[in-house]
Amino acid sequence: MTIDVVIPARNEASTVGEVVAAARACRFAREVIVVDDGSTDGTADRALAAGAKVVRRETGSGSKAQAMEAGVAATDADAILFCDADCVGLTGAHLEDICRPYLEGRAAMSVGWFDYGMLNPLVRRLPPTSGERIVPRWVWDSVHPEKRTGYSIEIMINEVIAEGRLPTTVRVMAGVSHRTKRHKLGLKRGYRETWRMFWYLIGLPVRGVVRWRTCWFYLRELTVED
Ligand SMILES: Nc1nc2c(ncn2[C@@H]2O[C@H](COP(=O)(O)OP(=O)(O)O)[C@@H](O)[C@H]2O)c(=O)[nH]1
Ligand SMILES: [Mg+2]
């Protein structure tokens, strides 16, 4: 069983080195692949210096989902551990905790949630939008190409798992957060973009892009780990 780490990154120079180091410290991971779409802040250099293999997309109009796709195409691993490049406080131990339920056959998908403190008991049961998750590569391949877009790629991975009635485990990555859109874009634009993303995601079942039953199937097969 081989596991490679795929890290989509656009302009994440301040955190990508720390994230690559965490991924390399995960004893279950073979290779760490960072996919960069025309970053202008030295993200690729930081990733290389931290020991990642860097895949550069030169389209200038990428998306996170397309970066993930390029990362999966660059590996023949049996399973992919996806990880965002803007995590803060992430360690190899967090990633090992995510991998374990998958490796032990308890989960087809294992996900790490950011640490929201008192909100954790509530958050852990929502359909996860986290970028930190392991899935077998067939799950990625089963996401319809038209659905590999925008903010919703994680929801579309959830859909493959839920509609297959497959078990998911989630756990909180203690002490881990990320640089939010407010940090990256400033308060005003950051809040606007966060709300835009939130409404888009809420709208998926409302507009029938994702069926309500999918959420139910997801919850039925969900195990929350401490
Ligand atoms: N290569 C690449 N990475 C991207 C792109 N858009 C987002 N990302 C990365 O995907 C991860 C999650 O994106 P982010 O903007 O943090 O989304 P949020 O966590 O929902 O606010 C981060 O590591 C981003 O750098 C893109 O167009 N290309
Ligand atoms: Mg983020």
Side-chain angles (χ1 to χ4, degrees), residues 8-12 35-37 62-64 67 84-86 178-179 181 184 197:
R10 171 174 274 178
N11 291 330
E12 306 287 9
V35 186
D36 173 29
D37 282 287
S63 69
K64 178 181 181 184
D84 286 352
D86 59 350
H178 68 150
R179 285 180 67 238
K181 295 194 192 309
K184 294 178 188 176
M197 177 177 73

Side-chain angles (χ1 to χ4, degrees), residues 40-55:
T40 53
D41 67 348
T43 292
D45 292 342
R46 296 280 175 92
L48 275 174
K53 169 179 167 180
V54 174
V55 173

Side-chain angles (χ1 to χ4, degrees), residues 21-73:
R24 292 190 67 208
C26 170
R27 83 183 95 140
F28 305 127
R30 182 181 63 174
E31 191 167 41
V32 180
I33 302 165
V34 170
V35 186
D36 173 29
D37 282 287
S39 295
T40 53
D41 67 348
T43 292
D45 292 342
R46 296 280 175 92
L48 275 174
K53 169 179 167 180
V54 174
V55 173
R56 296 196 96 146
R57 298 184 71 248
E58 301 295 349
T59 61
S61 61
S63 69
K64 178 181 181 184
Q66 286 169 357
M68 291 162 77
E69 187 160 270
V72 175

Side-chain angles (χ1 to χ4, degrees), residues 17 80 184 206:
I80 316 293
K184 294 178 188 176
V206 175

Side-chain angles (χ1 to χ4, degrees), residues 90-145:
L90 186 72
T91 65
H94 289 117
L95 295 174
E96 286 171 4
D97 285 344
I98 293 175
C99 290
R100 226 168 260 116
Y102 177 79
L103 288 168
E104 292 169 3
R106 286 181 283 123
M109 173 170 79
S110 173
V111 181
W113 270 106
F114 292 139
D115 190 343
Y116 291 102
M118 278 166 46
L119 294 178
N120 285 341
L122 173 72
V123 160
R124 292 184 308 185
R125 290 180 192 280
L126 297 173
T129 51
S130 323
E132 292 63 45
R133 61 177 68 202
I134 183 167
V135 288
R137 73 181 296 132
W138 72 260
V139 167
W140 174 267
D141 293 339
S142 302
V143 177
H144 194 282

